[in-house]
Amino acid sequence: EVQLVESGGALVQAGGSLRLSCTTSGFDFDDFVIGWFRQAPGKEREGVSCITYRESEIYVHSAAGRFTISRDSAKKTVYLQMNSLKPDDTAVYYCAASLIGPPPRCSSWVYEYGYWGQGTQVTVSS
């Protein structure tokens, strides 16, 4: 059974940092694409970042230079390091997995991901 569990969300002041974790199980980690998405109240879910064993992408323009995605194959975990957080980063953050490829390739499209975690709340206060 494919499972993705997010953790690391919290309430933080603007300018602070958080590291989100997405721990996975039930599939071959290197074959899958892992994406981070976020959904703010009243807004559509948007792709934030994505990683495979071959590549990584940051999709949110405002996150470039502040967010970093990484993966640990031994732990089957993907991380999203978020620095210099802004109130606009407030959202529920989800990780998702997909078999796009082969070879696995990144995507920011929600519909391409079939497996989702339950989400973790990130709240940035001004």
Side-chain angles (χ1 to χ4, degrees):
E1 179 187 5
V2 174
Q3 289 190 326
L4 302 101
V5 179
E6 304 95 335
S7 61
L11 170 64
V12 64
Q13 288 189 334
S17 297
L18 286 174
R19 188 178 80 158
L20 305 184
S21 299
C22 173
T23 302
T24 73
S25 62
F27 60 92
D28 191 329
F29 189 69
D30 285 342
D31 287 344
F32 275 66
V33 180
I34 305 295
W36 280 102
F37 294 79
R38 67 185 183 184
Q39 189 165 19
K43 295 187 177 181
E44 293 186 353
R45 194 169 297 189
E46 66 173 346
V48 176
S49 186
C50 172
I51 193 165
T52 73
Y53 76 87
R54 305 167 64 237
E55 62 178 349
S56 64
E57 299 281 352
I58 298 290
Y59 294 114
V60 176
H61 179 71
S62 65
R66 299 189 298 121
F67 290 9
T68 304
I69 191 169
S70 61
R71 65 198 293 272
D72 185 329
S73 293
K75 295 182 178 179
K76 296 187 176 182
T77 299
V78 172
Y79 304 99
L80 185 67
Q81 178 68 42
M82 306 187 295
N83 299 327
S84 302
L85 283 161
K86 304 175 181 180
D88 284 348
D89 295 318
T90 295
V92 178
Y93 283 71
Y94 300 89
C95 68
S98 182
L99 261 178
I100 305 172
R105 60 167 178 81
C106 272
S107 171
S108 64
W109 296 106
V110 170
Y111 73 87
E112 291 201 276
Y113 290 80
Y115 304 98
W116 291 83
Q118 81 288 350
T120 186
Q121 177 71 48
V122 171
T123 303
V124 184
S125 63
S126 57

